[in-house]
């Protein structure tokens, strides 16, 4: 929903591994002796994600029944490396750098399109199964609590048509081309309501269309956007009523209070942009009603 860019200090995965291992835990030697493997499979992760193939990891890189990742390195070692070294001890400042990168008002939680502020780090491929990537920066996503614990949980893809949008590695079209829209509905309440829906660009492949549909449904975004928009919708209604009472023409209100918001919203698929577009489409009807 919202593009993320890794902070420059997190682009060197080798340094992150070294920083985490500087804590000299009992599993440090197992991690360092398999460092090259972690670097190589990190490159594989990046390539698979860019090609929309992360769903294949479950078969191409299976975890052994005893939890062994490579040689003496186990999944539990990598989980501990994240839990103790990266998260609890804040090794290398990685945890805070990832989390703070999305606290910009124009970013916020990338999974829900900025409804909430990130307060946790999610492993795009869960560390409980893919410990390989427990400290791999492209697998660390700053997210809000709702997206992490209520909707995504421990999800990982196993089917091509059931994958989530990757904030770091997916194609630009998911973030720069509009596919989120809304419709204003007069439901008999004071301000009405807004229904959100998807219209992918006609030239998109089925893979891309499947991805936004699955992401939209997985995070229950139609309902969450509708709830989030209610406050803004009531504000628009109050502003509209005030301007009309003071003699403002509808066209002038539209230009200054509706079009300006749409034009200044740089995020193609932000719920507020779709909200104002929906109000604009029904503005003459709403204007007559108030």
């Amino acid at each position: 929903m919202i593009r993320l860019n890794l902070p420059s200090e997190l682009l060197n995965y080798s340094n992150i591994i070294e920083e985490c291992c500087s804590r000299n835990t009992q599993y440090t030697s197992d991690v360092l002796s398999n460092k090259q493997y972690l670097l190589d499979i990190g490159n594989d992760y990046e390539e698979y994600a860019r090609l929309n193939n992360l769903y294949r990891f479950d078969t191409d890189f299976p975890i052994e029944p005893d939890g062994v990742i490579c040689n003496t390195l186990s999944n539990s070692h990598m989980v501990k490396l994240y839990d103790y070294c990266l998260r609890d001890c804040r090794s290398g400042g990685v945890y805070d750098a990832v989390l703070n990168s999305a606290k910009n008002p124009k970013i916020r939680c990338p999974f829900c399109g900025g409804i909430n502020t990130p307060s946790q780090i999610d492993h795009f491929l869960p560390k409980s199964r893919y410990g390989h990537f427990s400290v791999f920066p492209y697998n660390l996503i700053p997210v809000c609590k709702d997206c992490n614990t209520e909707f995504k949980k421990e999800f990982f893809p196993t089917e091509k048509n059931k994958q989530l949008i990757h904030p770091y590695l997916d194609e630009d079209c998911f973030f720069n081309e509009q596919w989120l829209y809304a419709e204003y509905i007069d439901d008999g309440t004071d301000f009405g309501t807004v229904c959100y829906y998807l219209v992918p660009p006609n030239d998109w492949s089925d893979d891309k269309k499947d991805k936004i549909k699955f992401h939209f449904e997985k995070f229950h975004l139609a309902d969450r956007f509708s709830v989030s928009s209610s406050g803004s919708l009531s504000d628009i209604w109050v502003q509209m009523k005030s301007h009309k009472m003071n003699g403002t023409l509808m066209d002038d209100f539209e230009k200054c209070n509706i079009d300006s918001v749409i034009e200044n919203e740089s995020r193609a698929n932000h719920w507020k942009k779709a909200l104002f577009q929906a109000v604009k489409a029904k503005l003459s009807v709403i204007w007559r009603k108030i």
Side-chain angles (χ1 to χ4, degrees):
M1 291 291 295
I2 295 178
R3 164 71 81 197
L4 293 180
N5 295 301
L6 275 179
S8 58
E9 64 267 28
L10 302 185
L11 294 176
N12 192 321
Y13 184 29
S14 177
N15 285 352
I16 291 174
I17 295 173
E18 293 285 348
E19 288 282 357
C20 289
C21 289
S22 67
R23 292 290 166 179
N24 195 29
T25 62
Q26 60 183 1
Y27 44 84
T28 295
S29 60
D30 297 298
V31 175
L32 291 177
S33 63
N34 291 282
K35 177 182 172 182
Q36 189 58 52
Y37 172 81
L38 294 175
L39 296 177
D40 291 341
I41 202 169
N43 291 332
D44 291 332
Y45 176 111
E46 188 173 348
E47 179 181 353
Y48 274 52
R50 294 189 189 280
L51 295 175
N52 196 36
N53 286 330
L54 277 184
Y55 74 98
R56 288 173 44 191
F57 253 84
D58 196 49
T59 53
D60 290 3
F61 300 96
I63 295 291
E64 297 297 327
D66 56 0
V68 172
I69 292 177
C70 179
N71 299 320
T72 61
L73 183 64
S74 70
N75 208 73
S76 63
H77 290 152
M78 294 302 295
V79 170
K80 292 174 183 176
L81 189 71
Y82 172 83
D83 288 346
Y84 175 69
C85 299
L86 191 143
R87 184 193 64 197
D88 295 346
C89 295
R90 295 297 205 267
S91 295
V94 175
Y95 190 96
D96 293 325
V98 170
L99 201 57
N100 291 335
S101 69
K103 289 189 175 180
N104 183 312
K106 282 291 186 180
I107 302 177
R108 307 186 74 188
C109 178
F111 283 156
C112 61
I115 293 177
N116 297 318
T117 300
S119 59
Q120 303 176 353
I121 288 181
D122 169 68
H123 287 79
F124 196 83
L125 293 184
K127 67 181 186 299
S128 59
R129 185 176 184 89
Y130 297 101
H132 320 51
F133 313 113
S134 69
V135 299
F136 181 54
Y138 281 121
N139 198 48
L140 306 178
I141 316 294
V143 296
C144 68
K145 182 179 179 181
D146 288 347
C147 284
N148 195 23
T149 62
E150 185 172 351
F151 299 109
K152 182 176 180 289
K153 301 178 182 178
E154 292 292 300
F155 170 80
F156 60 91
T158 57
E159 301 175 62
K160 190 169 188 176
N161 64 343
K162 293 182 178 180
Q163 299 191 84
L164 300 175
I165 299 171
H166 199 298
Y168 295 122
L169 300 174
D170 253 317
E171 295 183 53
D172 288 338
C173 63
F174 290 104
F175 312 100
N176 298 338
E177 297 181 39
Q178 186 171 7
W179 42 263
L180 177 68
Y181 295 88
E183 179 184 8
Y184 173 81
I185 299 172
D186 184 357
D187 61 355
T189 60
D190 290 342
F191 309 113
T193 189
V194 175
C195 176
Y196 286 83
Y197 60 94
L198 307 179
V199 180
N202 291 329
D203 59 349
W204 275 24
S205 65
D206 288 341
D207 288 350
K208 293 175 182 175
K209 294 175 182 178
D210 288 340
K211 178 167 281 192
I212 62 170
K213 180 176 183 293
F214 183 74
H215 189 105
F216 191 70
E217 293 174 350
K218 183 67 175 177
F219 290 103
H220 294 217
L221 294 181
D223 291 338
R224 295 171 71 192
F225 287 159
S226 183
V227 171
S228 294
S229 68
S230 60
S232 295
L233 186 58
S234 66
D235 289 342
I236 296 171
W237 192 279
V238 170
Q239 292 172 9
M240 199 181 304
K241 188 173 183 178
S242 175
H243 279 270
K244 186 175 182 180
M245 289 177 61
N246 290 326
T248 303
L249 296 176
M250 186 191 78
D251 289 347
D252 291 337
F253 178 85
E254 180 177 11
K255 181 179 180 180
C256 296
N257 297 74
I258 303 297
D259 291 343
S260 61
V261 174
I262 296 172
E263 293 168 2
N264 290 326
E265 179 50 70
S266 60
R267 295 162 292 185
N269 297 294
H270 193 270
W271 62 267
K272 184 170 285 188
K273 181 173 186 174
L275 164 65
F276 276 76
Q277 289 173 330
V279 170
K280 178 180 173 68
K282 295 284 184 69
L283 186 59
S284 60
V285 175
I286 302 171
W287 191 266
R288 289 194 300 269
K289 179 180 177 181
I290 60 174

